[in-house]
Amino acid sequence: MADGLLAGGGLGSEAMARDHERTGWAAEEEPAPLGKGLFEDEDSCSDCSNHDKPGTSLQSFVPEGKTHFPEMFQTSHLLFYERFRAYQDYILADCKASEVKEFTAEFLEKVLEPSGWRAVWHTNVFKVLVEITDVDFAALKAVVRLADPYLCESQVSTFTLECMKELLDLKEHQLPLQELWVVFDNSGAFDQTALAIEHIRFFYQNIWRSWDEEEEDEYDYFVRCVEPRLRLHYDILEDRVPSGLIVDYQNLLTQCEESYRKFLNLRSSLSNCNSDSEQENISMVEGLKLYSEIEQLKQKLKLIENPLLRYVFGYQKNSNIQAKGIRPSGQKVTHVVSSTMTTGLLQSLVRDKLCPEPCKEEIEIQFHSDPLSAINACYEGDTVIVCPGRYVVHGTFSIADSIELEGYGLPDDIVIEKRGKGDTFVDCTGADIKISSIKFVQHDAVEGILIIHRGKTTLENCVLQCETTGVTVRTSAEFLMKNSDLYGAKGAGIEIYPGSKCTLSDNGIHHCKEGILIKDFLDEHYDIPKITMVNNVIHNNEGYGVVLVKPTIFSDLQENAQDETEENKTFKVQTSGEADVAERVDLEELIECATGKMELYARANLSEQVEGNCEIVNELVAASTQKGQLKKKRLSELGITQADDNLMSQEMFVSIVGNQFKWNGKGSFGTFLF
């Protein structure tokens, strides 16, 4: 028997809880230990917390229920790398899909005790204590008998000892190993048995698919199927996959299993049909349709299982949410969200929001206990009023219609808290969305707090407590943010994509990696974004207050600003393609042309805040000019001599004035070359 097969560490209480939910067991609430992985060297392991149980490094748990079963080995909390190593190095190695059972049997022969141990046979209907007398390794089954004393707990009251004996006789006393949970033994003699059965159980519950054997029978089964499915399982456990994508995956899996079962039944019936019969021809056509359907479903499953393609698939799904449009009845509805409703709160709502003036027409009102259900119930033109309280949501606010989402009170009193790492908090695709007076809080996220894919979104008097990226304004989207506070982003507080329109007024953006990040727009396929920044306070960010991303290829396009007189500044841009020609442009005229009414700050002693505004203006105008010159050059190469030099045709911004930049780690403005 192989040495050193010991337990692994824990995933944390949430992951363990989900694992136990899946298996039907609930362990005692205590921290999972850090220990050794499968076949790990003795000197490389961590100390085990079970010092009072010498000989074993595995923990135990007591099954919940009325029947007092003995303690079980706790093995469902293994880490990803422990399962990965077990399947790759010891169980499956480089086997084909058709060799999985054979390789598994060989593994079990080396590590499994053939008899002398007890286990709980656990099904969806009952659990019963049994003793193992032998193991059929090739069939992956154990030969059992009922333990003495007889312990059984069943959901069916009529399930007696005689019924159990009859059931075992029908099964010839042979049970699948994955249905057995090994009874705890502190000697360490059955550690390897418990872990080996855990690996088999996990594999057939979460990794193996009934159609795997009919896939291309190549030697890379582990790489093609086991590893991506294992990673997906742990990504789901750790909330790194959008909840909608998880539902899609489970639905696709169910559909594929049902279709494959129909396909097998049809294939079996064909083998019993007379050749060249009409029924056989019909069945052949049905079989081809089923086969095609199964292949399509399998491809979709592989898309989600692939860690790289998964997020592309998820992004496309979220950004293509279809709007419902106007409600069939034509009626607009006001949705009121409150965890509890009192008469005083209802009277205040009627007075302030629902009927501030004598109602000319009846208003339909729907009540909800959480904001996500209210958003999902909205049609075009609806209003959602969120009453004071703290709301915890699991899932994405996917807003595809023009609606208003407003808090009734101050933002700090209306808090919507997001759980689940894999989901974006708020996804906007509606033509005109308005959000006001709400505080959004993220925890342990991997996606941004707000993404505007298209349409216009207005955010007013809100607080955004970010975890990763803050707000993302995609190409062709429009974002208006007023009197709001954004902080905590591990990336940029606001990301502005080419071709978008972003208006920021009287906001605080602070304690982020970068304050505002303007994506590269110099490529000929991109449109210049329209950016307005007025009276914002951008402070205490780790990097720059504002960052412009540009490709390295344009780093040799230098611009220099020189002071000619107190009243007049000139701006010069040199390009690498025209190194010998310096084009001098009057800066004041250029900015006034681009901004319309922007005041040019030309005082001798400019404050830090004003310097920051002018620095951003200068850099963005220079980049815009570079783009214009490159476009002009490309047109010239194509034989088109007429080119518009007027910046109004490719306006960068409306105004950047009155912003304050304080205590940013690298300064108010910087350029990132890639």
Side-chain angles (χ1 to χ4, degrees):
M1 193 165 61
D3 297 327
L5 195 159
L6 297 171
L11 278 172
S13 58
E14 287 185 20
M16 286 177 62
R18 271 187 289 271
D19 247 351
H20 299 150
E21 242 178 50
R22 192 176 293 102
T23 56
W25 294 103
E28 294 178 323
E29 292 186 3
E30 56 183 71
L34 290 176
K36 287 183 276 187
L38 187 67
F39 295 121
E40 202 162 335
D41 295 334
E42 188 74 23
D43 57 354
S44 66
C45 71
S46 304
D47 291 336
C48 179
S49 61
N50 285 331
H51 293 298
D52 57 326
K53 297 172 181 175
T56 180
S57 66
L58 296 180
Q59 284 192 316
S60 63
F61 74 97
V62 178
E64 289 184 347
K66 297 178 181 178
T67 305
H68 297 291
F69 285 99
E71 291 182 63
M72 304 290 123
F73 277 108
Q74 172 58 274
T75 56
S76 61
H77 61 275
L78 298 181
L79 298 171
F80 165 80
Y81 79 88
E82 291 168 316
R83 295 194 193 276
F84 181 93
R85 186 183 175 198
Y87 295 129
Q88 184 183 48
D89 296 347
Y90 301 107
I91 303 176
L92 302 176
D94 59 352
C95 75
K96 302 176 181 179
S98 59
E99 298 172 334
V100 165
K101 198 169 184 179
E102 178 187 342
F103 274 57
T104 303
E106 289 179 5
F107 164 75
L108 291 176
E109 284 188 62
K110 296 174 184 176
V111 300
L112 207 66
E113 292 290 344
S115 61
W117 47 283
R118 297 188 303 162
V120 171
W121 177 23
H122 177 258
T123 69
N124 294 329
V125 179
F126 62 82
K127 43 185 181 277
V128 61
L129 186 64
V130 296
E131 292 180 359
I132 283 70
T133 60
D134 196 7
V135 176
D136 184 348
F137 294 105
L140 306 183
K141 290 184 177 181
V143 181
V144 306
R145 64 174 177 233
L146 293 176
D148 187 20
Y150 174 70
L151 292 177
C152 179
E153 184 173 311
S154 173
Q155 297 178 13
V156 182
S157 57
T158 57
F159 204 82
T160 62
L161 173 60
E162 294 304 318
C163 293
M164 183 61 70
K165 288 180 177 178
E166 185 178 345
L167 179 60
L168 281 175
D169 288 338
L170 287 172
K171 290 180 169 290
E172 298 179 345
H173 289 256
Q174 292 194 356
L175 304 177
L177 287 170
Q178 60 261 36
E179 293 181 6
L180 300 178
W181 291 78
V182 182
V183 171
F184 183 77
D185 184 285
N186 62 10
S187 69
F190 301 114
D191 284 17
Q192 296 182 18
T193 296
L195 275 174
I197 290 178
E198 168 62 28
H199 286 305
I200 302 309
R201 174 168 45 246
F202 182 90
F203 176 79
Y204 282 103
Q205 283 182 351
N206 301 290
I207 306 296
W208 179 255
R209 307 286 183 254
S210 53
W211 55 82
D212 279 352
E213 282 187 328
E214 300 199 16
E215 291 275 304
E216 294 181 15
D217 203 18
E218 299 175 357
Y219 285 103
D220 59 348
Y221 175 70
F222 177 85
V223 175
R224 286 187 298 108
C225 300
V226 179
E227 182 179 355
R229 292 171 188 170
L230 184 62
R231 288 188 185 279
L232 175 62
H233 175 84
Y234 276 90
D235 283 347
I236 291 173
L237 277 185
E238 296 166 9
D239 291 324
R240 296 188 178 278
V241 181
S243 55
L245 209 55
I246 297 172
V247 172
D248 284 352
Y249 184 75
Q250 292 169 343
N251 290 339
L252 287 168
L253 201 55
T254 301
Q255 291 174 35
C256 200
E257 286 169 350
E258 290 176 357
S259 297
Y260 186 69
R261 190 161 44 248
K262 290 178 184 177
F263 180 76
L264 290 180
N265 292 336
L266 189 61
R267 189 166 65 181
S268 176
S269 66
L270 276 173
S271 63
N272 299 325
C273 285
N274 295 324
S275 59
D276 298 329
S277 67
E278 184 179 349
Q279 181 61 40
E280 183 183 23
N281 292 334
I282 295 173
S283 297
M284 285 288 287
V285 173
E286 291 178 0
L288 288 172
K289 288 181 179 178
L290 277 173
Y291 180 80
S292 176
E293 179 184 323
I294 292 167
E295 287 302 310
Q296 290 177 10
L297 290 170
K298 286 196 291 188
Q299 288 304 315
K300 290 179 180 178
L301 287 169
K302 288 177 181 177
L303 252 182
I304 301 175
E305 289 166 357
N306 185 300
L308 296 177
L309 298 177
R310 179 188 314 156
Y311 295 103
V312 176
F313 187 81
Y315 167 73
Q316 289 177 342
K317 175 182 172 59
N318 290 332
S319 62
N320 291 322
I321 298 167
Q322 296 298 314
K324 295 179 184 177
I326 298 173
R327 188 175 275 98
S329 64
Q331 181 76 20
K332 293 181 180 179
V333 173
T334 298
H335 304 264
V336 177
V337 179
S338 181
S339 51
T340 57
M341 180 60 69
T342 63
T343 54
L345 177 59
L346 187 57
Q347 286 174 350
S348 299
L349 277 171
V350 171
R351 182 184 67 244
D352 299 336
K353 293 289 183 182
L354 302 179
C355 201
E357 298 176 0
C359 296
K360 297 179 181 179
E361 57 182 30
E362 290 295 320
I363 300 174
E364 183 178 339
I365 302 171
Q366 294 181 10
F367 291 91
H368 305 264
S369 59
D370 72 279
L372 187 57
S373 64
I375 293 291
N376 292 337
C378 281
Y379 283 78
E380 184 82 13
D382 283 5
T383 299
V384 178
I385 300 173
V386 186
C387 296
R390 194 175 193 91
Y391 305 88
V392 178
V393 297
H394 298 265
T396 300
F397 282 23
S398 298
I399 308 177
D401 291 280
S402 297
I403 67 168
E404 291 188 26
L405 173 63
E406 58 179 291
Y408 180 51
L410 298 174
D412 286 337
D413 297 327
I414 302 116
V415 180
I416 302 178
E417 195 173 322
K418 174 73 173 61
R419 300 287 182 182
K421 298 178 183 177
D423 292 309
T424 304
F425 202 153
V426 184
D427 234 43
C428 296
T429 57
D432 189 9
I433 298 167
K434 296 177 182 177
I435 304 172
S436 61
S437 303
I438 294 176
K439 182 176 182 178
F440 296 93
V441 179
Q442 267 187 321
H443 290 293
D444 300 322
V446 294
E447 297 291 336
I449 198 166
L450 169 63
I451 297 182
I452 303 99
H453 294 280
R454 56 181 175 271
K456 179 182 179 181
T457 296
T458 301
L459 197 73
E460 186 169 4
N461 194 32
C462 288
V463 177
L464 303 180
Q465 181 180 315
C466 309
E467 183 70 24
T468 52
T469 303
V471 178
T472 301
V473 189
R474 297 278 184 183
T475 300
S476 77
E478 182 177 353
F479 179 55
L480 173 60
M481 180 174 170
K482 298 190 294 185
N483 301 312
S484 296
D485 195 37
L486 186 156
Y487 60 92
K490 291 185 175 68
I494 299 178
E495 287 188 358
I496 303 173
Y497 275 67
S500 62
K501 183 176 181 180
C502 185
T503 302
L504 307 174
S505 175
D506 301 288
N507 303 293
I509 302 170
H510 55 97
H511 294 92
C512 302
K513 177 75 173 178
E514 311 284 353
I516 299 170
L517 187 145
I518 304 171
K519 294 278 190 177
D520 166 47
F521 58 85
L522 289 174
D523 189 281
E524 61 178 305
H525 301 293
Y526 295 155
D527 291 328
I528 298 173
K530 296 179 174 63
I531 303 169
T532 302
M533 291 172 56
V534 179
N535 298 331
N536 300 285
V537 181
I538 303 172
H539 65 96
N540 288 103
N541 295 292
E542 184 179 336
Y544 292 102
V546 177
V547 177
L548 174 64
V549 178
K550 294 198 299 185
T552 308
I553 191 172
F554 291 100
S555 63
D556 56 348
L557 301 174
Q558 302 296 328
E559 66 275 1
N560 296 304
Q562 297 180 348
D563 289 338
E564 292 292 328
T565 63
E566 190 86 358
E567 296 79 16
N568 185 41
K569 285 187 178 181
T570 58
F571 187 68
K572 181 171 69 176
V573 179
Q574 287 188 338
T575 68
S576 58
E578 300 173 16
D580 298 329
V581 181
E583 185 175 334
R584 185 171 299 272
V585 184
D586 183 81
L587 179 59
E588 182 174 355
E589 180 183 342
L590 184 61
I591 295 175
E592 287 178 349
C593 183
T595 65
K597 296 182 179 180
M598 176 180 173
E599 177 185 355
L600 177 64
Y601 292 91
R603 295 189 297 271
N605 298 316
L606 295 176
S607 67
E608 178 189 353
Q609 291 78 21
V610 176
E611 285 178 350
N613 287 275
C614 286
E615 186 179 1
I616 296 169
V617 170
N618 294 346
E619 180 66 32
L620 295 182
V621 170
S624 179
T625 304
Q626 292 171 15
K627 183 178 175 72
Q629 290 174 338
L630 290 171
K631 180 180 178 182
K632 186 175 180 179
K633 183 179 179 182
R634 282 192 295 269
L635 291 173
S636 178
E637 290 172 350
L638 293 171
I640 303 172
T641 56
Q642 184 177 2
D644 188 3
D645 289 326
N646 186 356
L647 267 178
M648 291 301 289
S649 65
Q650 49 177 7
E651 184 179 312
M652 160 60 76
F653 51 82
V654 177
S655 68
I656 298 183
V657 294
N659 302 288
Q660 298 183 44
F661 299 89
K662 300 179 179 180
W663 309 302
N664 295 297
K666 295 182 179 179
S668 58
F669 181 82
T671 301
F672 177 77
L673 300 175
F674 70 96

